[in-house]
Amino acid sequence: MGDYRKLWESLQMDLEKHDALCAVLPELYGSVYLSQKDRAEAMNYFNFVISEVHGLRIEELNNHRQKGGKVVGTFCVYVPDEILNALGVIGVGLCGGSQFWIEDGEKVLPRNLCPLIKAFVGAKISATCPYFQSCDLLVGETTCDGKKKAYEILAEYAPTYVMELPQMKREKDIKDWEAEIKRFINEIENLTGNKLTYENLKNSIKLINKKRRALKRLYELRKNTPSPISGLDALLVSQIAFYDDIERFTENVEKLCDELEKKISILKANRKKRLMVTGTPMAIPNWKLHHIIENLDAQIVVEETCTGTRYFENEVSEDGETIDDLIRNIAERYMKINCACFTPNEGRVEDIIRLAEEYKVDGVVYYNLSFCQPYSVEYKRVEKALKDKNIPLILIETDYSTEDVGQIKTRIEAFLEMI
Ligand code: SF4
Ligand code: SF4
């Protein structure tokens, strides 16, 4: 990585603390990712993105801002990227996936809270995340209670706007969400001084649909037995989707898919068990569960998570004569995401069953970040539905620390023997 200290300084970062964070990542990445065998050549792009995660991309954000552009940070797949992009904004996902930030998060939050929330708050208040520091606005949403309340704390540190997400999916709720998107458009127009038009919105919808299609193509390839890509690599691609340049990212996912398509014909059969992971999101650099599983005799072939299928399934319809039609299309597409914050949420159970069949999985790992109530309450419904279909399931509740790695490994080993 080049010398970015001046840039980091200009972003009012805590350089000393940030050095400590930067010291951990290369070693972790080396042992988790670079140690994998038979990786696709095209993964080199994603290796490069990670090596420059606090460098080149931050410089790009900075250049955009120097030219008068804005950067907006988001925390949930419900915040519509199509609007941000259409108004010339670079959107970056800010979910925190590192144990490094937990200690700072716990200074202002209770300890018995989901690590994702503690990490993103810790990242902001410690001034060690250059993405947070590059944002002109943070956009939260009323999803789970922990996040909702955490935005009140973030607002003390940075300009923060919160979208009100309905918690049910009736026609009335879709209309409410549509109105909320219009409020959001207003906010972003005021921030940027740009105006949303039919043309820029339609182009943005097309661009982001293309990105979702590329990810879908990648996941389709994972349906092959054996899958031509490890779960770890697929997870990395999904995580990078949240902050990389949209066009460049899409192009590189397509290149990766071209290579994997060719690879399929020469893949030798193996005895690895095919697993699905379902549950809470895995923000970068949370590779813990995938790393444990794929070091055993198993391969993760699909993730029903927000860093998996929930991010790219369903496109925004490009049909519509007016800007209002397009906004309605956006509202409809986003309300199809099946997050446990909704009630009822039968759609998620149906998705899990469908994906288990489509990807021919031998078992399902229910991944629950500690203290995440919506997903842990929903576990019983999923358990019952999978039992009815004779699909084996294991619940792993964990955080970002490494203390329970041995215990998780033993439990997964026993699960793999059983299925
Ligand atoms: S799990 Fe729910 S709240 Fe969390 S990012 Fe996904 S949609 Fe948003
Ligand atoms: S993982 Fe659960 S508790 Fe944590 S932010 Fe997402 S919905 Fe909220």
Side-chain angles (χ1 to χ4, degrees), residues 96-111:
S98 171
Q99 177 70 12
F100 185 85
W101 292 311
I102 299 291
E103 198 186 323
D104 282 303
E106 285 179 351
K107 287 182 185 156
V108 292
L109 290 166
R111 296 191 68 188

Side-chain angles (χ1 to χ4, degrees), residues 47-237:
N47 289 339
F48 176 71
V49 171
I50 290 291
S51 69
E52 286 291 337
V53 67
H54 282 194
L56 213 54
R57 184 66 181 141
I58 300 302
E59 197 165 58
E60 287 178 349
L61 300 184
N62 191 51
N63 291 345
H64 176 70
R65 293 176 82 206
Q66 297 292 325
K67 285 187 245 145
K70 302 289 177 193
V71 175
V72 167
T74 62
F75 303 88
C76 174
V77 295
Y78 268 96
V79 178
D81 288 336
E82 288 81 357
I83 305 294
L84 293 175
N85 179 69
L87 287 168
V89 168
I90 298 182
V92 287
L94 292 174
C95 272
S98 171
Q99 177 70 12
F100 185 85
W101 292 311
I102 299 291
E103 198 186 323
D104 282 303
E106 285 179 351
K107 287 182 185 156
V108 292
L109 290 166
R111 296 191 68 188
N112 58 348
L113 195 70
C114 151
L116 197 145
I117 304 173
K118 286 191 284 193
F120 75 61
V121 172
K124 177 64 211 171
I125 69 174
S126 63
T128 49
C129 171
Y131 289 89
F132 258 106
Q133 301 305 104
S134 301
C135 285
D136 298 289
L137 180 72
L138 305 178
V139 179
E141 48 358 271
T142 55
T143 45
C144 67
D145 289 348
K147 259 171 143 189
K148 199 155 62 188
K149 298 306 285 180
Y151 298 132
E152 293 170 21
I153 296 175
L154 278 189
E156 292 170 22
Y157 294 84
T160 304
Y161 176 86
V162 178
M163 294 184 82
E164 186 178 355
L165 183 69
Q167 313 260 290
M168 294 177 87
K169 292 185 177 178
R170 302 157 299 182
E171 177 54 31
K172 158 194 177 300
D173 301 306
I174 302 175
K175 283 213 176 85
D176 285 350
W177 183 232
E178 195 182 333
E180 195 58 22
I181 293 175
K182 288 185 177 163
R183 250 187 81 225
F184 178 59
I185 292 169
N186 206 17
E187 177 75 19
I188 304 299
E189 282 182 338
N190 288 341
L191 176 77
T192 57
N194 297 335
K195 190 95 194 112
L196 196 73
T197 64
Y198 177 81
E199 279 71 30
N200 63 24
L201 185 54
K202 184 140 177 165
N203 287 338
S204 178
I205 289 173
K206 281 188 182 162
L207 184 75
I208 290 164
N209 278 344
K210 210 170 151 205
K211 173 179 172 179
R212 296 195 211 282
R213 265 200 300 279
L215 284 165
K216 191 166 170 51
R217 183 177 168 213
L218 177 65
Y219 271 59
E220 286 294 318
L221 288 163
R222 299 173 78 190
K223 289 182 179 171
N224 194 72
T225 311
S227 163
I229 182 169
S230 66
L232 268 168
D233 277 344
L235 173 64
L236 183 72
V237 172

Side-chain angles (χ1 to χ4, degrees), residues 328-354:
R328 168 76 195 185
N329 295 349
I330 291 175
E332 283 176 356
R333 185 265 161 192
Y334 279 81
M335 287 296 269
K336 285 186 194 145
I337 303 170
N338 294 317
C339 169
C341 295
F342 281 82
T343 184
N345 192 31
E346 283 310 310
R348 174 161 173 246
V349 181
E350 287 159 19
D351 286 346
I352 295 171
I353 304 277
R354 173 178 55 83

